[in-house]
Amino acid sequence: MALKRQGRALAPAAALAVALLAAACQNQAGMSPAQIAAQSAARDNIQSITEVINANPNDPQAYNMRGSAYGKVGQNDKALADFTTAIQLKPDFYQAYSNRALIYRAMNQPQAALNDYAYAIKINPQYSPAYVGRGNIYRLNGQLDLALNDFNAAIAADPNDSRAFHNRGLVYQQQGNLAKAIDDFSRAISLDPTAAAPYNARGMAYMAQGQMESAEDDFTVAVSIDKYYAEAWANRGIAASELGNAEKARTSFRAALNLKPGYQPAVQGLAKLNGGAAPQG
């Protein structure tokens, strides 16, 4: 009874949630302290791994490790060179192909990334990360059937890959199959309860169904895991506003704008609370 009543009253909010689903990015503005610490550790690793490479310049594992470290600090050209060297030294190094694909993605070269994922899968058809990576390229390109095939393959290869369930849920969400999306997000959360993105995604699916209390709960968990998650803060503001908690909504929208100035869902949410139109531009 309560959910049905809530769903009728909040139809405009559900429509807004559907619009947000179409526009949502996977993640995430700002860098958390954990991400900053990981970058610092990666810089330290670069120096130590370089010493290993200097002592043994034919070690493909070392180049793969240093390439990963370069990637974490955004030195994509150096990462690309190291993964390429690793592959030259060990042509069946499927992890290096998959890692190089990530760098190609970061460099906005999706076709090169697709080629590398295909090589990784050809060498090891059970390597779940390659299916997840390739599936995300297809998903972001709107090729949802191909994406779904890859996420299904990833789950078949590794039923404990939380990223595969999360990303398959995003496909179901884009297809409007919210029940399946929620099931997959819930599975991802059960496999990795420390990841914020599946909570945010499930919250958006609940919001599209008009289940604002469940949505707000998920957004609250997301920002408790990652307080730098601007999208989740804004979504929490939308849910709180629809539930009549104006102060919580304002706090949430302001948190989103502190992290991502000009973020339109937060700008528009505050304007609605203040009884005015959102500024244009």
Side-chain angles (χ1 to χ4, degrees):
M1 291 288 293
L3 290 180
K4 289 182 180 178
R5 182 169 62 250
Q6 186 182 54
R8 288 200 301 271
L10 298 174
L16 172 61
V18 171
L20 285 171
L21 291 181
C25 296
Q26 187 174 345
N27 232 344
Q28 187 161 328
M31 286 185 63
S32 70
Q35 290 171 316
I36 294 170
Q39 282 205 353
S40 178
R43 291 189 183 96
D44 292 339
N45 284 342
I46 288 169
Q47 182 175 351
S48 60
I49 299 169
T50 297
E51 293 174 1
V52 173
I53 289 173
N54 289 339
N56 185 2
N58 293 315
D59 183 351
Q61 294 285 352
Y63 285 103
N64 186 56
M65 291 174 62
R66 192 175 67 176
S68 295
Y70 278 134
K72 287 177 182 176
V73 299
Q75 297 187 39
N76 291 333
D77 289 340
K78 291 182 177 180
L80 194 67
D82 272 358
F83 292 133
T84 298
T85 300
I87 291 166
Q88 289 170 344
L89 292 169
K90 190 176 189 297
D92 64 349
F93 201 166
Y94 56 88
Q95 297 98 327
Y97 275 110
S98 188
N99 288 336
R100 191 172 68 175
L102 285 172
I103 299 302
Y104 280 132
R105 286 178 63 189
M107 297 173 74
N108 197 28
Q109 298 183 43
Q111 188 56 56
L114 286 172
N115 291 341
D116 271 1
Y117 283 132
Y119 275 117
I121 291 167
K122 182 178 180 180
I123 296 166
N124 183 358
Q126 298 301 309
Y127 190 54
S128 176
Y131 289 109
V132 173
R134 188 174 69 177
N136 270 316
I137 294 176
Y138 289 141
R139 179 178 65 81
L140 294 171
N141 198 41
Q143 297 172 279
L144 299 185
D145 289 340
L146 291 175
L148 192 60
N149 288 340
D150 271 353
F151 296 135
N152 285 337
I155 290 166
D158 182 1
N160 295 314
D161 189 336
S162 62
R163 298 165 305 165
F165 283 100
H166 173 216
N167 285 289
R168 189 175 71 175
L170 293 175
V171 172
Y172 286 139
Q173 202 171 48
Q174 286 179 258
Q175 293 176 330
N177 194 334
L178 296 179
K180 282 190 173 182
I182 288 168
D183 285 345
D184 270 3
F185 297 143
S186 297
R187 179 62 174 156
I189 288 166
S190 72
L191 290 168
D192 183 6
T194 66
Y199 286 103
N200 182 63
R202 189 174 68 177
M204 293 181 76
Y206 282 139
M207 192 157 61
Q209 291 182 329
Q211 299 186 49
M212 291 295 160
E213 290 182 1
S214 296
E216 185 190 40
D217 288 345
D218 271 356
F219 298 138
T220 297
V221 175
V223 298
S224 70
I225 293 171
D226 183 0
K227 65 181 180 180
Y228 295 86
Y229 200 163
E231 182 187 345
W233 278 113
N235 289 336
R236 183 175 183 258
I238 293 167
S241 178
E242 294 298 334
L243 289 168
N245 193 332
E247 189 55 38
K248 182 185 285 187
R250 284 192 178 90
T251 299
S252 299
F253 289 137
R254 287 168 182 158
L257 290 171
N258 283 337
L259 293 164
K260 193 173 182 179
Y263 185 52
Q264 281 303 298
V267 170
Q268 292 166 9
L270 275 177
K272 180 180 176 183
L273 286 172
N274 294 332
Q280 300 298 311

